Amino acid sequence: MIMEELFAKPDIRKPENIVYRKSDLMVDRPLSYCPGCGHGTVHRMLMEVIEEMDIAEQTIGVSPVGCSVLAYDFLNIDMLGAAHGRAPALATAIKRLWPHRFVFTYQGDGDLAAIGTAETIHACNRGENITIIFINNGIYGMTGGQMAPTTLPGMRSSTSPYGRDVELMGHPIKMTELIAHLPGVNFVTRQSVHTPVNARRTKKAIRKAFDIQKAKQGLSFIEVVSNCNSGWKMTPVQSNKWMEENMFPFYPLGDIKVDGKLVEKKENE
Amino acid sequence: MGELRLMKGNEAIAEAAIRAGCDGYFGYPITPQSEVMEYLMAEKPHERTGMVVLQAESEVASINMLYGGAGTGKKVMTSSSSPGISLMQEGISYMAGAELPAVVVNVVRGGPGLGTIQPSQADYFQAVKGGGHGDYKMIVYAPASVQEMSDHVKLAFDKAFQYRTPVMILSDGAIGQMMEKVELFDPIPRRTDEEVIAACPWASTGRPKTRNHNIITSLDLDPAGQEKVNLKLQEKYRMMEQNEVMYEEIMTGDAEYLFVAFGLSARICQKATDIARAKGIKVGLFRPITLFPFPTVQIAATGSRVKGILVVEMNAGQMIEDVRLSLGCKVKIEHFGRFGGIIPSPDEVVKALEQKIIGG
Amino acid sequence: MAKIIGDIVINTERCKGCEVCIAACPFTVIAMSKEVNSKGYHFATKVNNDCTGCTNCAVVCPDGVITVYRAKV
């Protein structure tokens, strides 16, 4: 008998007492992500919002190329898998052809901030009435830990094995701050999912983004700074700590643009 | 009889798209086809039929907008010219892999590289041999008149949805720019969202509680699964070869010699046929209208009755390979081409026939 | 006075042993098991009766393997 059973409370374990369970909009299959990876948590927050708004029938999602290439296998809504970086172009057409549908893209940093820079910036600049969810872990996870456009200065990766030398390799790009300056963009925020508080904030941000979409008020852009314990070569718990100490100072959490106006002082500082 | 108009080929493409019930056009300006989007923007199809027209930030974005729209079952189209079509190859490959219907118009200009803005047929290989990566084909129509620019749009949409495949219209800068009389077909109403959902149960339109979620993708990490995808695609291409071949024969009944040419070259060869016949040379013209599927059997039948074949193309010799594959070594087959934006004159073509085939 | 009692059920077969839930629990209810599941992961398990059903562990679990119950008794 496993230890958990020793402390089971059968009187409490009744359906009416459930206060939290995995969203029914998550397909019941194991996620392909590494242990501790933030993707799973963001997937779940996203599906919880769609479930709570009861809009699964009206939602069309676009998944990227990268670790979350198989997101469509886990999210029980209609999805399209885009070519690398092109998700905002797909989403643009989908939203314009189905203006009453909720449309989102789910993209990593390589997808959104390197190969898909043009599609991202122009979809944002046109003010497409969509939601972009941007997972930034500063590395190419799927292909084996290469340097990403968001890799921090000095950070090691398989293509910057001695650390990112900005003189040679260029600077990391803060896409989210860049996007915030575009007039078509309504809501821009940077969040994380590594603690319960942060995960709940991310969910709240996603809800806000979908509400903005419902009100046809323009594009919402949510960056989630996340970990890549495999790529960073740490345990999940270590990687979350490293993220707090190294990623957050460079990519500070908080709202950057709300109701179409830049936020002057960031909340979480 | 349908409405008659004097139009540019590019304008006919645009008008035909509206009339074919196209839901969305996504494009990027490039000479010599910019009139397609210019006409659409001026015509305000959103007011006429509800059709969406959007100028994208690049051809890469355009083709991926097509992928997005097609993945939701909507009728979508783009047009471009050679360099832009090269940029679209990734997206076309993905659409072939994900089995998505869409119409792509290539108003070909001379290459390679930035090349020239003048007409050419140098994108034949790219169009019919699979310009992007992976084993795929698409139906390729080669219009030779402004009338066919219009007719082929309607046909291309029908076939794109029948086979769930991208379809290309391979035109050129001359047919795009020239003005001719065109009889327009009667407008077909755009499908409602409900009709799209009913007609395209595979599309990602929003998952009702009554079905599993739809996934549009060209990815299958399991080799056995991906082989199955490939076999299914090949089966589809065989069906196209059986059922979709289109061609035209002009004065081939008594012909001793044969021109084989598509698109603009076929028009030049038609005039060359008249000139040659006036000189007593019994020559006919075989014009493939579909470049894939290629009229292999039909060319073999007609070609085996003649003494020699001149394949005339505005390129360095591309379709000639398919003509040779159709006939083997039974008949003498030579190529005549001008390239870089030069259009051969009918007299040049007759001279080439005399030198390379009759006298050669 | 009503007391709030919570409980969690962990889908141990789906747990990948990342330990993120352990730090999230305010009452150190969760620890890693010595056993492994069929994938070879040490999985999270309850080690005491102090759960209040706050849902922190479940919210932060990347694989969504935790179901939380809470009742007033």
Side-chain angles (χ1 to χ4, degrees), chain A residues 76 78-79 81 98 101 126, chain B residues 67 204-205 207 211 214 216:
Chain A
N76 194 9
D78 277 2
M79 298 276 295
W98 298 85
R101 292 289 192 267
R126 286 190 301 262
Chain B
Y67 181 104
S204 281
T205 53
R207 176 184 63 82
R211 67 159 165 83
N214 283 342
I216 301 295

Side-chain angles (χ1 to χ4, degrees), chain A residues 1-8, chain C residues 33 35 43 45:
Chain A
M1 185 160 133
I2 58 171
M3 199 189 282
E4 187 187 328
E5 298 306 314
L6 293 173
F7 301 102
Chain C
S33 66
E35 300 93 337
F43 47 85
T45 191

Side-chain angles (χ1 to χ4, degrees), chain B residues 46-66:
Chain B
H46 194 73
E47 290 177 12
R48 267 177 67 180
T49 68
M51 175 182 170
V52 170
V53 184
L54 181 65
Q55 181 168 337
E57 63 270 28
S58 67
E59 288 89 349
V60 175
S62 309
I63 197 73
N64 283 285
M65 287 173 183
L66 247 63

Side-chain angles (χ1 to χ4, degrees), chain B residues 188-256:
Chain B
I188 302 160
R190 271 183 61 243
R191 292 181 303 184
T192 62
D193 288 355
E194 291 68 32
E195 286 168 343
V196 170
I197 291 166
C200 305
W202 47 266
S204 281
T205 53
R207 176 184 63 82
K209 292 185 177 71
T210 48
R211 67 159 165 83
N212 285 330
H213 61 154
N214 283 342
I215 298 168
I216 301 295
T217 182
S218 57
L219 174 74
D220 195 330
L221 291 169
D222 169 27
Q226 190 58 41
E227 186 178 52
K228 220 178 255 179
V229 170
N230 271 273
L231 289 169
K232 189 181 170 201
L233 291 178
Q234 292 305 317
E235 171 65 24
K236 193 155 84 173
Y237 303 145
R238 296 296 86 77
M239 292 293 288
M240 292 172 186
E241 284 170 341
Q242 274 175 36
N243 301 317
E244 303 306 333
V245 170
M246 287 170 64
Y247 63 97
E248 183 184 20
E249 293 193 44
I250 295 170
M251 288 189 270
T252 55
D254 64 342
E256 293 174 358

